[in-house]
Amino acid sequence: MPDWWTDSHAIRDVLVAQGRATPPRRNFDLREIRPGWLVYDNEREPIGRVSGQIDRYVVVQRSFHGFYLWLRLYVPESAIGEAHEGSVSLNVPRDWVGAMGWDRPPREAPTKRRDH
């Protein structure tokens, strides 16, 4: 199979689902993510903004339908697909975010907290 086939995200996703290709490597360091960065789902729909970190979780402030009713989400590192200067992309759709249980703090006791 030519390399250019796996350069397409849609084709790569199908090949990964079939077990014929490996998932793309995540190319970010969790420590580089800063408060204020925008958070998007896997289809680039906005979720909220980063407000800090607790251990291997990114804390995200999310508003509902444009109202100032804020919900804090604790997004695990495993749910982050990509992070670039100013934005974080999750690897789940927006509709799944509410059902993931991320509105509760992590069960393990935090060892360090970083807010900027």
Side-chain angles (χ1 to χ4, degrees):
M1 176 178 325
D3 289 339
W4 61 269
W5 276 87
T6 57
D7 289 341
S8 166
H9 292 297
I11 294 171
R12 184 188 64 220
D13 292 346
V14 170
L15 293 174
V16 168
Q18 292 177 348
R20 297 178 61 192
T22 58
R25 291 180 158 240
R26 294 185 352 209
N27 56 353
F28 69 91
D29 184 352
L30 192 64
R31 296 173 296 193
E32 295 175 357
I33 297 174
R34 299 284 180 244
W37 285 18
L38 295 173
V39 179
Y40 298 96
D41 72 351
N42 66 345
E43 296 174 354
R44 297 295 293 169
E45 293 293 325
I47 299 294
R49 286 189 181 269
V50 174
S51 66
Q53 290 181 11
I54 298 176
D55 288 333
R56 306 306 295 171
Y57 294 83
V58 173
V59 182
V60 176
Q61 293 288 346
R62 182 178 187 193
S63 66
F64 285 103
H65 308 292
F67 296 110
Y68 292 103
L69 302 172
W70 296 98
L71 173 66
R72 182 174 287 169
L73 300 174
Y74 301 89
V75 179
E77 179 182 24
S78 61
I80 299 173
E82 296 180 20
H84 300 285
E85 186 66 34
S87 71
V88 176
S89 297
L90 304 182
N91 56 18
V92 297
R94 181 184 180 119
D95 295 340
W96 291 13
V97 171
M100 300 299 281
W102 295 340
D103 56 329
R104 294 180 299 276
R107 289 181 185 225
E108 60 271 4
T111 57
K112 66 178 180 179
R113 181 183 180 107
R114 191 179 84 196
D115 292 318
H116 295 275

